[in-house]
Amino acid sequence: MTQRRTIAVVGAGGKMGMRISDNLARTSHDVRYSETSPAARERVTAAGRTLSDTGTAVPDADVVVLAVPDVALAAVSADVVPLLRPGAIVLTLDPAAAYAGVLHRRDDVHYAVAHPCHPSVFLERTTPEEYADSFGGVAAPQDVVAAFEGPDLKRAVAEEVIRVMYGPVLDVHWVSVKQLAVLEPTLVETVACMVGDLLREALHEAVHTVGVPSAAARAMLHGHIQVALSNTLRGANPFSDGCRIAMDYGRETIVRPDWKKIFDDTELDRVIARMLQHVY
């Protein structure tokens, strides 16, 4: 049986704050909810949860979840971390601030970062609820990738909380902070999310510039996305020779030859600096 923990959620009324609070609220843990934004405070109370001041919520917490935007983490951690008891765990949801070294540091507290993978495109869903849960944290199981600084005993405590707040969770993969930053943003935002947005733009061009009926274009694109991912990431089937020629043309026309530089440390530093400053 999992030990009862005291958990404080700072930023409990934000998008992710509400998501993880929904899951934590269903446990037997002592969960405190802190929020400063008036609109966000209303969301917390509307969900039936009681708000606490940060100064009351965090001093005796085992785990403090900083569910605030990356750009606010430096200021928020500077306010929160000095209030924590020795041995507490500070848990952030994205690696950017931890990798950039902007979190307020104390030698007697432990730091964790945990980011959800979201339900895999290859997940075998069996219920309507699982199909509807594309983001994760409700019905469809997902993996989590996390980093931790501290002893294994404390990491086990962090994993307990991570599995609840992002649940249902299949597995928690432990990596370094830098490795997590390479995954998010570089692999999944710089590449995968950008490609998704490119697909949206391409669909718009096919429909609104060329004049292909929307239903036909969407049917063709959605099905071929599934085939493209299965063939490239799982080796399900080989592409045809004609498809390979078109793929080469697409790479030559759309993708810069030096695109892999995004995995260089200098480029990682650059994109994270832009994220933390909200300069896009």
Side-chain angles (χ1 to χ4, degrees), residues 251-269:
R251 180 177 288 270
E252 295 165 4
T253 307
I254 300 170
V255 181
R256 291 176 50 157
D258 65 343
W259 74 270
K260 292 180 183 179
K261 71 179 184 180
I262 63 173
F263 288 96
D264 294 343
D265 289 353
T266 54
E267 295 299 318
L268 178 60
D269 293 345

Side-chain angles (χ1 to χ4, degrees), residues 130-162:
E130 289 177 347
Y131 278 103
D133 184 19
S134 61
F135 191 88
V138 179
Q142 62 182 333
D143 283 0
V144 177
V145 180
F148 183 76
E149 302 173 26
D152 289 346
L153 184 62
K154 289 292 185 178
R155 191 179 83 168
V157 174
E159 181 164 338
E160 287 178 14
V161 176
I162 290 165

Side-chain angles (χ1 to χ4, degrees), residues 8-22:
V9 182
V10 178
K15 291 180 181 178
M16 283 306 298
M18 290 295 291
R19 286 179 179 273
I20 65 177
S21 293
D22 286 344

Side-chain angles (χ1 to χ4, degrees), residues 15 23 33 43 52 64-66 93 110 116 135 155 157 183 188 193 219 234 237 240 243 249 264 269 277:
K15 291 180 181 178
N23 283 343
Y33 308 97
R43 288 193 288 271
S52 301
V64 177
V65 183
L66 300 183
L93 311 184
H110 311 292
F135 191 88
R155 191 179 83 168
V157 174
L183 296 178
V188 298
C193 294
R234 304 185 88 179
N237 295 286
S240 68
C243 179
Y249 169 74
D264 294 343
D269 293 345
Q277 297 172 26

Side-chain angles (χ1 to χ4, degrees), residues 57-226:
V58 305
D60 62 342
D62 299 303
V63 180
V64 177
V65 183
L66 300 183
V68 300
D70 286 335
V71 292
L73 276 171
V76 171
S77 65
D79 290 338
V80 170
V81 172
L83 303 176
L84 303 183
R85 65 172 182 79
I89 298 170
V90 177
L91 175 57
T92 57
L93 311 184
D94 292 282
Y99 174 76
V102 302
L103 294 176
H104 187 83
R105 305 292 299 187
R106 262 180 59 187
D107 292 338
D108 58 349
V109 300
H110 311 292
Y111 294 82
V113 188
H115 196 79
C117 295
H118 309 297
S120 170
V121 66
F122 300 121
L123 177 69
E124 295 184 9
R125 293 171 166 87
T126 59
T127 67
E129 291 78 16
E130 289 177 347
Y131 278 103
D133 184 19
S134 61
F135 191 88
V138 179
Q142 62 182 333
D143 283 0
V144 177
V145 180
F148 183 76
E149 302 173 26
D152 289 346
L153 184 62
K154 289 292 185 178
R155 191 179 83 168
V157 174
E159 181 164 338
E160 287 178 14
V161 176
I162 290 165
R163 284 185 172 276
V164 170
M165 71 185 203
Y166 288 140
V169 169
L170 294 168
D171 201 0
V172 179
H173 305 276
W174 293 99
V175 299
S176 69
V177 170
K178 180 182 177 180
Q179 289 170 336
L180 183 51
V182 168
L183 296 178
E184 163 99 11
T186 302
L187 181 63
V188 298
E189 291 180 331
T190 303
V191 179
C193 294
M194 178 278 296
V195 169
D197 201 45
L198 182 64
L199 291 172
R200 178 192 58 80
E201 290 186 36
L203 177 63
H204 182 275
E205 289 300 304
V207 173
H208 297 283
T209 300
V210 181
V212 177
S214 178
R218 288 180 181 276
M220 184 70 81
L221 180 63
H222 291 177
H224 278 75
I225 288 173
Q226 191 273 141

